[in-house]
Structure formats: structure tokens, C-alpha cells
Amino acid sequence: MTRVLVCVQPARGHVGPTKPLVEALLAAGHDVTVVTGARYREAFGNATVKLLPPEADFDETDLDGSIPGRAGRKGLKLARFELTNFVRAIPAQLSVLDLDVDVVLCDPLFMAGLALVRREHRPRVLVLGFLPFMPPVPSGPGSAILKVLAPWVLRPAQKQARTALGEDPGMLFADWPLHSDGVLQMTCPGFEYPRANAPLHFIGPTTVSAAAEHPLPPWWADLDGSRPIVHVTQGTVANDDLGRLVEPAIAALAGEDVLVVATTCGGRLSPGPLPDNVRVADFLPYDELLPRCAAVVSNGGYGGVNQALRYGVPLVVVGASEDKREVAARVRWSGAGIGRTRASVPPKTLRRDIRAILDEPRYRARAKELAAEIAAGPSMDDVVKLITA
């Protein structure tokens, strides 16, 4: 029996891909303790759950209300604040970690990982790779601006890391996964930039999204294959304003010979009638929906994008917040779709991009190649053996 400590931030996009790993470890007879936030106290079945202290916890459904100082910040100012806030939580996170274990599975944004990898005597530390792996030096259009702005964004968090650790960390705070014992990257090699000497283990997407979790809506029979299905989503967090992507996509495809299936994930559409070719639900089971789709329009959540690729579905991605700029760039680089590193685009642009995905076979062909890579990856039993080796 291996003693495993799992450290995961209390956010749906982090907990979702972690749960199947915890379940598989428990089923194999291993001892698992999970450290996360109060919102996910009951999410991990029979695992022992320890809660983060209030100063390190937050409510993803009310980020401004649960994280002091966040409200009113946008763009790069918000990115700088959030990175600094992640690092500020290190002492509180460490206060509840029992490191008398054999291996730690750590969320890349659970910054106690930075403290752990610096220790000479420590358990094995493996990173939960449900975010894009650390990007290379920015290149291409706009890279000069990014190189200038990056120090401005990163410097406060790096200073906070020195304060939290009581000394210079000896590395960029965000680079700590490079110093881990391995990254369980939840994609396939064709969707991540080649990087020499990176400790990557490609395990494919782990998230399960079945009808048992999200019941089918009354209109499900409309997905009968008579029209191409285009799924539109802004993910589970960035849905406070569906006017950024969901509503423009609905407008773009009004009158097109497709069936638009949109998920709001807690957000609200503007009042008014919807086009006849639109169906809406709060959440839907992806393992039922995605195999039926001809295209996915997404704001670039890494997990959702890789779930689409698992089923060989090409994408249009429009995103610029959090890690979404990197995901959009990977969609473009991999050839599995069209990626735009912007917060939003007008309906005319979306219509053109979606029509290209539907009409040009190369996008679906490439998405199917990546699906084959994912299918050829390790089984969950293999992943458990990797974790507990």
C-alpha cells in the first residue's frame, strides 16, 4: 500500500480531472488523503479529506467575494494579483500538509509545491498536469510586448515567494514543476510543445462527464445527426458574461444548417428568444455529447479542449485570460482547429472560423490523429502504477 497525499485547489476544473485518479488509487488499495477547499469536502468518495485554512481557501462561484482585493481588477493587473495570491497561500497550505507519505500529487497552482521540491528529504512529488505545461519563450506576433510585460506580471509573485519561504526560492516560482519528479500531463504529445528534458508523462485527459452526473435535457432527441452539431461553451468559471463568446457564437450560427448546443455553466444568457437551431442547458455530459459533435467552440479551458480532442472533435478557441491564451496557441499550433488569443471576436469572425472547421477536412483529420494518440496512451491502471512506483 502506498500513502498518497493529493493537493488540489478548490475549483471544478482542477477537482474534475483529479477525482478519477483518486478513485483509481483507492480502488487499487492505496491510502489517499486529499487537501482541498470546503466546497469540495464531499467530492472524493472514501478518501480522507483535509480542508485548507480559510486564508488559503476560496469559492470559485464568487471569486471577488471570497478573495479580498480581487474585485475591480482586469487583464494583466488581475493576472498579476492572482499569481501573487497563489504564492501568498504557501504558509497556510503547508500548515495542513502531513508529509509522512510516499508520494504527493500536487496541483501546479498549489504553490506549496514550490516549497516541497526545494527540500532535500521529501516524498516523491508528481504534478497534476491539467494546465498547459510551462510555455517556451514567447514567439510570433506580439511576443516583444509579452517579453516586456512578463517581468511586470511575475515580479510581485516572485517577491512574495521569497517572503513566504523566508529565502530566495532559487527558481522562478512558476517553474517549480520542472523540479518535480514528474508531470502527469493530461493530454497527448501532439498537443504540447516539444521541450527537451521536461519531466512529462502524457496520460491523456482523465475527466469523466457522464449522464449520471449531468442528466440529459428534454430536447436530447434533437441530436439525431440530421444536422452537424456545434457545441459552444465558456467553461465552468469564466461564464459571468456570456456575451464574450456564447452569445456571439449563437448569433454567428443563426440560420446556419447546424444545431447549436450551448452550455451556460451557471451563467445567464441575455433575455430574448433564441434562434430555432439553438439548444441550451446549464451542464451536459461530455461523454455523451462530444462524440456527436462536428465542432466545439470554446474559451480555451485545457480540460474541455482535451476532452474534445479525445473524441476527435476540431475546435474554435477564443481566449486570453488565465491559461487560455496558451491553450488557443496550442490549438493553432497542433492543427486541431483555429485558436485566437483574444477575449472575444465578433459574430462575423466566428461564423467564418466555424465554417472553416466544418468545411475543411484537415481540421477534423488532425483532431482524429490526436484522438488516436490519446487512445494509445497509458491506461488508468498504468497511471496508478506510475504514481505508486
Side-chain angles (χ1 to χ4, degrees):
M1 180 183 71
T2 301
R3 297 165 300 168
V4 184
L5 175 65
V6 180
C7 305
V8 61
Q9 292 281 22
R12 185 186 184 94
H14 297 224
V15 170
T18 304
K19 283 175 60 178
L21 295 176
V22 171
E23 291 167 359
L25 286 163
L26 289 171
H30 300 291
D31 180 17
V32 183
T33 298
V34 179
V35 176
T36 191
R39 182 175 173 82
Y40 292 97
R41 182 195 301 266
E42 308 297 330
F44 291 95
N46 294 326
T48 300
V49 175
K50 296 181 66 175
L51 297 184
L52 288 164
E55 60 269 31
D57 198 359
F58 58 86
D59 181 353
E60 65 180 323
T61 67
D62 183 21
L63 292 174
D64 286 348
S66 61
I67 302 177
R70 186 182 188 277
R73 301 177 190 266
K74 295 182 180 180
L76 291 173
K77 290 183 178 179
L78 177 59
R80 185 168 73 160
F81 171 84
E82 290 191 326
L83 288 173
T84 305
N85 199 57
F86 283 131
V87 175
R88 186 179 292 114
I90 290 176
Q93 291 171 348
L94 289 173
S95 72
V96 294
L97 299 190
D98 178 0
L99 296 177
D100 185 22
V101 296
D102 302 300
V103 60
V104 178
L105 296 184
C106 196
D107 184 324
L109 294 182
F110 199 102
M111 284 295 166
L114 172 62
L116 296 185
V117 297
R118 297 173 66 252
R119 297 185 179 186
E120 183 177 356
H121 302 290
R122 60 170 174 80
R124 289 174 65 231
V125 177
L126 298 174
V127 180
L128 295 161
F130 43 62
L131 298 176
F133 194 63
M134 303 300 177
V137 176
S139 61
S143 62
I145 296 175
L146 290 175
K147 289 176 183 176
V148 170
L149 291 176
W152 182 84
V153 172
L154 299 176
R155 192 177 297 118
Q158 190 68 15
K159 182 178 179 180
Q160 185 65 48
R162 289 194 295 271
T163 300
L165 299 173
E167 60 182 345
D168 191 290
M171 68 185 83
L172 178 65
F173 72 94
D175 278 349
W176 76 262
L178 290 169
H179 300 266
S180 71
D181 296 293
V183 180
L184 306 179
Q185 198 65 30
M186 298 176 187
T187 188
C188 59
F191 195 67
E192 274 294 343
Y193 304 131
R195 185 158 181 170
N197 302 319
L200 291 176
H201 302 280
F202 290 99
I203 67 170
T206 59
T207 303
V208 176
S209 177
E213 182 179 1
H214 304 300
L216 301 179
W219 47 257
W220 188 258
D222 295 346
L223 279 62
D224 59 5
S226 59
R227 289 179 286 179
I229 296 168
V230 178
H231 173 49
V232 183
T233 178
Q234 283 182 210
T236 58
V237 176
N239 46 51
D240 56 315
D241 178 10
L242 297 182
R244 286 197 292 266
L245 182 61
V246 172
E247 291 177 350
I250 289 173
L253 295 173
E256 293 282 320
D257 188 24
V258 300
L259 187 65
V260 179
V261 176
T263 50
T264 55
C265 301
R268 292 182 177 273
L269 292 169
S270 298
L274 292 169
D276 291 341
N277 68 335
V278 175
R279 306 291 183 271
V280 178
D282 199 22
F283 291 94
L284 287 170
Y286 266 16
D287 292 337
E288 301 286 340
L289 173 65
L290 291 176
R292 304 166 188 261
C293 289
V296 168
V297 181
S298 163
N299 68 335
Y302 193 71
V305 164
N306 275 288
Q307 281 184 280
L309 294 177
R310 171 195 274 161
Y311 292 106
V313 184
L315 300 115
V316 173
V317 169
V318 179
S321 62
E322 294 95 23
D323 60 330
K324 295 174 178 60
R325 180 182 296 273
E326 286 298 324
V327 177
R330 282 161 171 76
V331 167
R332 185 171 59 247
W333 169 81
S334 70
I338 296 171
R340 295 188 178 274
T341 53
R342 297 180 59 182
S344 63
V345 295
K348 181 179 179 180
T349 301
L350 275 175
R351 183 183 303 112
R352 184 176 66 243
D353 288 350
I354 296 167
R355 286 266 41 120
I357 294 297
L358 295 174
D359 298 340
E360 298 179 26
R362 61 189 173 101
Y363 293 113
R364 177 163 287 274
R366 181 56 179 152
K368 286 187 174 299
E369 289 176 357
L370 296 180
E373 281 192 27
I374 291 171
S379 68
M380 188 58 78
D381 286 345
D382 294 330
V383 176
V384 168
K385 291 176 182 176
L386 174 64
I387 293 170
T388 59

